[in-house]
Amino acid sequence: MGLTYNPGDFWVTAEGLYGGGLSTGPGNSLRLPNHLTMDATIGYAFKKGSGLSGFKASLDVLNVFDDPYVIFINNGYNGNHYENGQEFIFRLAESI
């Protein structure tokens, strides 16, 4: 679930993901701990007349709390897999 606030040329977005814990163990009788991750974005659309007219810049922070939860347990030959930890992504786009 997410929420975006956009009062004009500036925007902020927050999104959350809740997981009830992966089933594991004999007959999937056990569960791993629950998890909650949050992603956030802040961005700005440059105004006409500025040196960057037509450009939009944004910064995404994925997994804000740096919670690399398990997504697969011992799946055959591949072993355990975890969700990525905290990531930062900067974007600069031009409208054409």
Side-chain angles (χ1 to χ4, degrees):
M1 178 177 284
L3 178 66
T4 298
Y5 175 68
N6 186 355
D9 297 329
F10 171 78
W11 71 90
V12 177
T13 299
E15 297 177 350
L17 171 68
Y18 174 79
L22 186 65
S23 296
T24 188
N28 285 330
S29 60
L30 303 172
R31 292 188 78 75
L32 294 176
N34 302 340
H35 63 271
L36 174 66
T37 59
M38 300 290 293
D39 299 335
T41 301
I42 185 169
Y44 183 77
F46 292 93
K47 297 179 181 186
K48 291 184 179 184
S50 72
L52 294 172
S53 178
F55 281 89
K56 292 181 181 179
S58 64
L59 176 66
D60 301 330
V61 181
L62 307 179
N63 200 349
V64 171
F65 303 120
D66 197 21
D67 180 18
Y69 58 90
V70 178
I71 54 177
F72 292 114
I73 294 284
N74 229 359
N75 92 351
Y77 298 104
N78 297 324
N80 299 339
H81 294 120
Y82 295 84
E83 182 62 46
N84 290 337
Q86 191 176 62
E87 298 178 68
F88 295 89
I89 301 169
F90 176 74
R91 302 171 199 267
L92 183 62
E94 181 182 15
S95 301
I96 55 173

